Amino acid sequence: MHPPEPPAPAARPRLGVFKFASCDGCQLTLLDCEDELLALAAEVDIAHFAEASSDAAPGPYDLALVEGSVSTPEHLDRVRRIRAESRHLVTIGACATAGGVQALRNYADVEEYLATVYAHPEYIATLATSTPISAHVRVDFELRGCPIDRGQLLEVITAFLSGRKPGIANHSVCFACKRRGNVCVTVAHGTPCLGPVTHAGCGALCPTYGRGCYGCFGPAATTNLPALIPVLHRDGMDDEDIGRFLHTFNVADFTAVEARGPGVTGKEGTE
Amino acid sequence: MTSPAESRPRDGGIEAVLDRSGLAALVTALQHRGRTVIGPTVRDGAIVLDELDSATALPYGWGVELEAGTYRLVRRDDGAAFSHSAGPQSWKSFLHPERVRQWSADRGPGGGLTVREERPQAVSYAFLGVRPCDLRAIRILDLVMAGGRYPDPAYLSRRTGAFLIAVECTEPGATCFCVSMGTGPAADAGYDLALTEVVDDDGHRFLCRSGTEEGADVLAELPRRAADDATRTAAVLGVRAAADRMGRSMPPVDLRTLMRDTLEAERWDDVTARCLSCGNCTMVCPTCFCTTTEDVTDLTGDHAERWRRWDSCYDLDFSLLHGGPVRSSPRSRYRQWLTHKLGTWHDQFDSSGCVGCGRCIVWCPTGIDLTEEAHALHREASGSQDAP
């Protein structure tokens, strides 16, 4: 009689990293986790990560990190396939969570854009809108930022590995700015800053270096943009400036709360 | 060394006059006693609190112009070091830091858990330039953090033995209202040393009196001269004049009753329209103490830590219970903050939570002024149209 086989080591959870319409900066954040990459590779099987390796293994995946917005007809099918193959799906970055800067097209004539940009627009297959992944499939967690924060990405991966809720705050950048001991750039310098309405997560990076927040993490869980507009006016912005200030990487999310008074943004929590 | 220069001030300590070199010697003497000296200094266009290497880092010749939602550093030609009012931080940042590890745990190879309680390392602080309003704020924090059955070890490790040098107020800001709250501009108790800065034809000097034995010991080490009547008079008049120059005031009513009786006032809707729920007022408040816990694990899942970090009643998640946040509307969150600060704080800690420093007025991006809100609530409650 043979001795029993030693138990096989538990299979590591399989990680897939996928990209839609985006600049690749958010998945690059994963490669930027230089000090933690070996530890991460020990805990997960990086099965699909085109930016790191051309050796792409098929699903299913335990955790899919999805970057980019749904922007082409081909994306519509692909996002559903990835969802079907993934136990948990986490979207990373402003393109995936809000449609990205390319969602500016949602407020313009896409045919006109095509004719202006491309010599042969007939070669281009595009949708009229750029939309977040959550507009198409169920998403387990949305990690904000343009790009995302390295520490927050590790926290989200770690949380999913241990089956707990990610410790990601939904409050404003001001919380982080004050906790860091910064002097408020709006109050002390008269610098326009979107910190009071912007989702924390960057560690108040821009105000720490003396410039105003430009909202790259999108709206906080609760905003009151109409109350901030007079402050931006006071600090030298006209309506056109404010429009440009708000309509960048998270144009769709800021547009959704632009005219809305005090209350939750609808992305988190309930009123 | 000077000849014995102590005289008896009204409260039984010793009293002397320091000049600028005496103040410099004070910082050095505290450092020699192993103290980390924290005081006001100029950084990033504001007078912040930071560790002082020497008294030369003090904001000599700097003042501030304050209004609701606005703070500007301005040059002064009198060279004064303490002619400024509250800045963007308070002593809370040092006594009750924004993030503290409480315990950590490791899972061993056999699956057994080892939990280690955090033993905070004691810090020996000296705080130079504590305003009377902030002195009161520290007393309030003492009660909140260390007064109950379960004193907070992290707070105690920083607060125990901290050497407090109060500086009485002679230059209140436009957003100050310590007189309304009964906390200043004179320092009454709770300090080791109290300074009053005097700048006049007789020169730049500090009337210094001790409030504790250690304060008297430190003062006795410093180059100083005997307190003279001219300096005493100038100091008293300076503080008295400050009391008459408060930029703000509270309505002359019992604020606790006012808060209790105006919970459904229309004014709450008015202020909510201006409130960003950004949390700045609570972060700069010298007595706001609320925290949340943050549990973190490493990638292996075998190491976990519990951290405590500052939170705020403006955070939607602060009142998150099963099923959703209790205070989901911004109106309910603003009302919670103000009614707690001015009203229910009395029930909880037997004092007001507000010391009249005006920080929440200055550092609110939209300039919400709690004194204006209190006046408006009072007007609405009494049906009067009186201006504040």
Side-chain angles (χ1 to χ4, degrees):
Chain A
M1 197 176 151
H2 296 289
E5 290 282 321
R12 287 172 301 161
R14 306 185 80 233
L15 177 73
V17 182
F18 302 93
K19 164 190 163 61
F20 287 80
S22 59
C23 78
D24 285 41
C26 290
Q27 44 176 317
L28 192 60
T29 306
L30 187 57
L31 284 178
D32 281 343
C33 299
E34 292 170 1
D35 292 339
E36 297 86 4
L37 265 185
L38 287 177
L40 180 65
E43 297 300 322
V44 299
D45 172 11
I46 303 175
H48 187 293
F49 186 10
E51 195 168 84
S53 168
S54 52
D55 182 17
Y61 309 100
D62 293 286
L63 176 61
L65 298 175
V66 179
E67 172 195 278
S69 70
V70 172
S71 175
T72 69
E74 180 260 337
H75 286 162
L76 292 168
D77 292 332
R78 196 165 151 255
V79 71
R80 288 187 175 81
R81 199 172 68 238
I82 291 168
R83 172 72 265 189
E85 291 179 338
S86 307
R87 188 156 164 242
H88 297 295
L89 190 155
V90 171
T91 53
I92 57 171
C95 298
T97 63
V101 70
Q102 58 272 29
L104 281 167
R105 83 165 75 133
N106 301 5
Y107 311 94
D109 180 356
V110 76
E111 297 300 327
E112 194 186 313
Y113 273 22
L114 285 174
T116 308
V117 175
Y118 298 100
H120 287 282
E122 67 273 18
Y123 293 167
I124 306 297
T126 184
L127 297 172
T129 56
S130 167
T131 44
I133 302 297
S134 61
H136 303 276
V137 296
R138 184 174 55 80
V139 168
D140 296 293
F141 192 82
E142 292 190 305
L143 184 62
R144 315 285 206 87
C146 184
I148 54 171
D149 176 80
R150 202 171 67 87
Q152 288 208 320
L153 176 63
L154 283 167
E155 165 60 14
V156 168
I157 294 172
T158 305
F160 275 90
L161 285 176
S162 53
R164 64 175 170 84
K165 188 185 166 203
I168 304 287
N170 294 319
H171 51 224
S172 73
V173 169
C174 297
F175 279 70
C177 208
K178 283 289 183 291
R179 287 171 53 193
R180 202 164 168 161
N182 290 341
V183 173
C184 176
V185 298
T186 290
V187 170
H189 309 158
T191 302
C193 180
L194 291 179
V197 293
T198 298
H199 198 287
C202 61
L205 195 54
C206 291
T208 300
Y209 293 96
R211 59 170 287 178
C213 166
Y214 57 97
C216 70
F217 274 59
T222 169
T223 61
N224 183 5
L225 251 170
L228 188 65
I229 303 299
V231 181
L232 298 175
H233 281 151
R234 181 200 68 189
D235 293 336
M237 287 193 144
D238 61 24
D239 287 336
E240 203 177 323
D241 295 332
I242 294 170
R244 275 198 297 267
F245 206 24
L246 291 171
H247 301 159
T248 60
F249 318 101
N250 291 280
V251 54
D253 278 2
F254 274 122
T255 300
V257 298
E258 214 168 328
R260 201 190 300 166
V264 296
T265 56
K267 298 244 14 158
E268 275 95 6
T270 49
E271 175 67 313
Chain B
M1 209 47 214
T2 53
S3 60
E6 292 76 40
S7 56
R8 292 277 152 190
R10 56 187 181 274
D11 52 6
I14 59 169
E15 192 178 42
V17 173
L18 306 179
D19 59 11
R20 275 179 65 153
S21 63
L23 190 62
L26 172 60
V27 173
T28 309
L30 291 165
Q31 286 166 337
H32 284 161
R33 287 169 172 247
R35 302 276 190 181
T36 300
V37 182
I38 310 290
T41 191
V42 171
R43 167 174 58 84
D44 297 337
I47 296 175
V48 300
L49 299 174
D50 209 343
E51 182 172 351
L52 303 178
D53 291 332
S54 73
T56 55
L58 289 168
Y60 286 113
W62 287 104
V64 292
E65 278 175 9
L66 308 180
E67 248 321 317
T70 313
Y71 179 105
R72 291 292 182 276
L73 206 51
V74 290
R75 267 285 175 200
R76 296 177 61 90
D77 51 19
D78 63 0
F82 299 103
S83 277
H84 56 87
S85 40
Q89 311 123 310
S90 70
W91 305 97
K92 171 177 87 173
S93 301
F94 300 91
L95 294 173
H96 178 39
E98 57 96 7
R99 200 160 179 263
V100 169
R101 186 167 54 200
Q102 298 188 293
W103 51 258
S104 51
D106 285 287
R107 183 160 49 203
L113 275 184
T114 312
V115 179
R116 275 183 315 281
E117 188 185 350
E118 194 73 13
R119 304 226 176 269
Q121 213 167 2
V123 190
S124 179
Y125 277 129
F127 293 160
L128 171 58
V130 184
R131 298 307 179 157
C133 57
D134 282 347
L135 211 50
R136 178 67 66 86
I138 292 173
R139 255 153 67 190
I140 292 173
L141 271 188
D142 286 349
L143 191 61
V144 173
M145 303 300 295
R149 249 177 101 180
Y150 302 103
D152 174 48
Y155 184 83
L156 285 178
S157 71
R158 293 160 170 270
R159 175 68 179 94
T160 307
F163 190 91
L164 304 185
I165 304 150
V167 177
E168 296 190 301
C169 239
T170 49
E171 188 74 39
T175 49
C176 286
F177 55 103
C178 64
V179 168
S180 288
M181 304 316 292
T183 61
D188 54 359
Y191 53 80
D192 293 283
L193 288 174
L195 304 177
T196 315
E197 186 171 34
V198 175
V199 189
D200 60 17
D201 292 344
D202 294 335
H204 186 180
R205 58 207 190 277
F206 305 88
L207 181 67
C208 181
R209 61 182 201 269
S210 66
T212 60
E213 265 181 45
E214 190 184 0
D217 289 347
V218 171
L219 180 54
E221 286 176 22
L222 306 177
R224 66 203 182 279
R225 61 182 171 82
D228 56 287
D229 282 343
T231 303
R232 276 199 202 101
T233 305
V236 168
L237 291 179
V239 175
R240 195 177 295 161
D244 295 333
R245 296 209 317 276
M246 289 289 122
R248 296 287 200 275
S249 70
M250 278 292 188
V253 296
D254 179 36
L255 295 171
R256 181 188 190 183
T257 310
L258 178 67
M259 292 298 117
R260 189 195 64 202
D261 294 346
T262 55
L263 289 174
E264 298 307 327
E266 285 175 15
R267 183 67 185 190
W268 299 114
D269 293 324
D270 185 284
V271 65
T272 303
R274 289 171 278 130
C275 177
L276 295 162
S277 291
C278 61
N280 276 306
C281 48
T282 61
M283 299 283 155
V284 298
C285 176
T287 67
C288 271
F289 57 84
C290 285
T291 56
T292 186
T293 51
E294 190 176 74
D295 291 336
V296 297
T297 49
D298 73 353
L299 278 165
T300 65
D302 292 331
H303 179 76
E305 296 181 353
R306 169 158 289 187
W307 290 76
R308 177 179 78 192
R309 66 167 165 80
W310 284 0
D311 205 353
S312 161
C313 43
Y314 289 92
D315 190 332
L316 195 60
D317 286 340
F318 185 66
S319 69
L320 183 71
L321 300 179
H322 175 73
V326 173
R327 286 187 284 272
S328 59
S329 71
R331 180 182 188 274
S332 68
R333 295 200 290 277
Y334 185 84
R335 193 179 67 171
Q336 163 64 25
W337 179 69
L338 194 66
T339 56
H340 185 217
K341 190 64 54 184
L342 299 179
T344 51
W345 202 291
H346 286 278
D347 303 293
Q348 200 176 2
F349 301 113
D350 212 22
S351 78
S352 172
C354 175
V355 297
C357 71
R359 285 184 179 89
C360 59
I361 306 174
V362 174
W363 299 97
C364 172
T366 64
I368 294 174
D369 175 349
L370 83 169
T371 67
E372 189 186 318
E373 297 314 313
H375 278 289
L377 287 167
H378 174 50
R379 282 197 301 276
E380 188 176 333
S382 58
S384 93
Q385 296 304 308
D386 298 341

